Amino acid sequence: MKSFKANQAAAGLLLSLLAQASLQAPLNASKWSYVGSDGEENWPKKYPFCGGVFQSPIDFHNDVLQYDSTLMPIDLVGYNVSLKEHFIISNNGHSVRMHLPSSMYIRNLPFRYTASQLHLHWGNRNKPMGSEHRISGRQFAAEVHIVHYNSDKYPDVATAMDKADGLAVLGIFIDIGNFNPSFEKIFCHFTAVKFKDQKVQVPGFNVQELLPTQLDEYFRYEGSLTTPPCFPSVLWTVFRNPVKVSQEQLLALQTALYCSQENDSAPLEMTDNYRHVQEFDERLVSVSFREGVVLSVVIASVLGVCIITGVTCWMLRKRKSLKKDDNKGVIYKPAADTEEDVSKV
Ligand SMILES: [Zn+2]
């Protein structure tokens, strides 16, 4: 938690320096996409934070992982939303988004983080890899983000989103597997939100069904929004275990939606709406689980010992054979030469 506070202070200072400039950007600057001239390489031109520090997503590789025994299972409150309540699902031109009631929150973080919305990132039908985070370089089929804001300190998500301690996002990897009836409660409404700015009201359900069963195994780090304005304001919790949806469900996600409006003469399919992994220098990811991290350390150690043993054996053998060669030289040295040499002395 020490580094959490120190990093927060640094991020806070940076935010206060840059947030004003970013927020005062002209309204027409809010144009960005995942392809073309408004693609992620050019995000920093309009959104300076996107080229800054503490950026997300990242790759969770062994060099940056650190086991932290204080990380408790995520404690979710109010996630089981009654059928009588409703969610609004909408298409914002970048993703499909489901707005969440403020009765949903995470209990066991430094502050109370109240739910705001969830959305997804995915690939395309030919390359079904569209998760934002990765584990040891592995990209999953898709990723869900459940966005929460710090309701202890800020009145709403808009006020919180540019504050260093403003947001907490849960990340869930999606893999291909069996049909998932819980995800179908969102996916079956895609035809109603096919185009940008379309909305549909859907009955409440238990949002926890979208999460993996093991809420105690996750990666934790301080990062950013993965879309412009990329504010470094997110406390990330990315679950280690993916959830599964069927091939058909994934195909529906990859093909059903458009970034463009209904009457647009040049319709643009909503595919590959993920940001690539960002630099991760001088930061560490805390992990709540030992198994896997420890195993990889053991494998690396065993490999190291094997390599050292191998190199030592090879050097010893080489030395031995060199000695043999020296001996050979002595044995077969012509007697005449030796005499000549001696006579020269
Ligand atoms: Zn997201």
Side-chain angles (χ1 to χ4, degrees):
M1 273 305 129
K2 220 176 189 179
S3 70
F4 173 64
K5 278 185 183 154
N7 286 344
Q8 268 195 336
L13 181 68
L14 188 87
L15 275 162
S16 62
L17 289 170
L18 291 171
Q20 237 182 336
S22 181
L23 288 171
Q24 282 169 357
L27 282 175
N28 62 8
S30 65
K31 196 179 160 220
W32 61 270
S33 72
Y34 289 97
V35 286
S37 58
D38 295 320
E40 62 178 295
E41 262 99 83
N42 292 321
W43 290 355
K45 289 178 189 166
K46 287 177 184 166
Y47 308 95
F49 283 106
C50 299
V53 294
F54 295 109
Q55 289 299 290
S56 297
I58 56 162
D59 178 35
F60 302 123
H61 56 277
N62 289 324
D63 297 349
V64 300
L65 304 183
Q66 190 175 51
Y67 172 65
D68 182 347
S69 62
T70 67
L71 294 177
M72 295 294 113
I74 300 299
D75 189 2
L76 303 170
V77 182
Y79 262 53
N80 193 358
V81 178
S82 153
L83 260 175
K84 291 174 203 156
E85 289 185 56
H86 289 95
F87 299 124
I88 303 284
I89 295 178
S90 64
N91 176 334
N92 68 355
H94 303 297
S95 183
V96 59
R97 175 185 278 203
M98 188 166 88
H99 297 258
L100 300 170
S102 56
S103 50
M104 288 173 57
Y105 63 92
I106 307 171
R107 187 164 20 209
N108 58 340
L109 288 177
F111 302 98
R112 177 184 286 200
Y113 283 89
T114 296
S116 169
Q117 46 98 354
L118 69 78
H119 61 267
L120 295 103
H121 301 270
W122 60 89
N124 67 65
R125 74 182 90 185
N126 298 318
K127 187 174 168 275
M129 286 181 287
S131 74
E132 296 209 300
H133 290 93
R134 301 179 191 208
I135 300 181
S136 298
R138 185 190 167 194
Q139 192 176 18
F140 292 82
E143 186 171 331
V144 184
H145 290 158
I146 310 182
V147 180
H148 302 71
Y149 71 96
N150 182 342
S151 52
D152 278 345
K153 289 181 75 172
Y154 310 109
D156 50 52
V157 70
T159 314
M161 72 186 294
D162 64 336
K163 309 298 188 297
D165 57 2
L167 303 177
V169 181
L170 304 180
I172 301 128
F173 292 121
I174 297 182
D175 220 347
I176 301 170
N178 290 332
F179 177 80
N180 189 319
S182 303
F183 273 88
E184 197 61 17
K185 290 170 189 171
I186 299 174
F187 289 12
C188 71
H189 298 288
F190 282 165
T191 48
V193 290
K194 206 168 184 57
F195 299 102
K196 190 181 176 215
D197 299 331
Q198 291 183 332
K199 288 180 172 60
V200 63
Q201 190 172 283
V202 308
F205 64 89
N206 189 354
V207 179
Q208 195 161 336
E209 291 172 7
L210 305 177
L211 273 64
T213 45
Q214 276 180 285
L215 298 181
D216 58 338
E217 294 194 350
Y218 57 84
F219 303 91
R220 164 70 51 76
Y221 77 103
E222 290 156 52
S224 74
L225 300 175
T226 64
T227 57
C230 307
F231 291 133
S233 57
V234 180
L235 184 61
W236 277 99
T237 302
V238 180
F239 294 103
R240 179 196 192 188
N241 300 298
V243 295
K244 306 269 174 88
V245 302
S246 69
Q247 187 92 53
E248 291 73 26
Q249 286 180 300
L250 188 66
L251 190 66
L253 181 65
Q254 292 158 348
T255 56
L257 305 162
Y258 285 82
C259 298
S260 45
Q261 285 175 316
E262 191 170 12
N263 50 6
D264 202 312
S265 55
L268 180 64
E269 284 188 343
M270 193 180 280
T271 55
D272 300 305
N273 58 350
Y274 64 90
R275 189 186 194 190
H276 289 84
V277 288
Q278 304 296 299
E279 295 281 331
F280 197 70
D281 296 329
E282 294 162 29
R283 280 194 282 173
L284 282 176
V285 174
S286 299
V287 284
S288 66
F289 53 92
R290 234 191 248 273
E291 177 246 324
V293 176
V294 173
L295 186 70
S296 60
V297 170
V298 170
I299 291 170
S301 307
V302 169
L303 266 174
V305 169
C306 287
I307 290 167
I308 290 167
T309 312
V311 169
T312 311
C313 286
W314 177 79
M315 282 174 76
L316 282 172
R317 282 176 81 176
K318 180 111 183 168
R319 239 172 125 183
K320 233 180 174 179
S321 73
L322 275 173
K323 255 189 181 171
K324 251 187 188 172
D325 286 348
D326 283 354
N327 289 344
K328 275 179 198 168
V330 173
I331 293 165
Y332 291 105
K333 213 169 184 183
D337 282 355
T338 312
E339 274 170 15
E340 209 174 85
D341 286 344
V342 169
S343 65
K344 274 179 188 169
V345 173

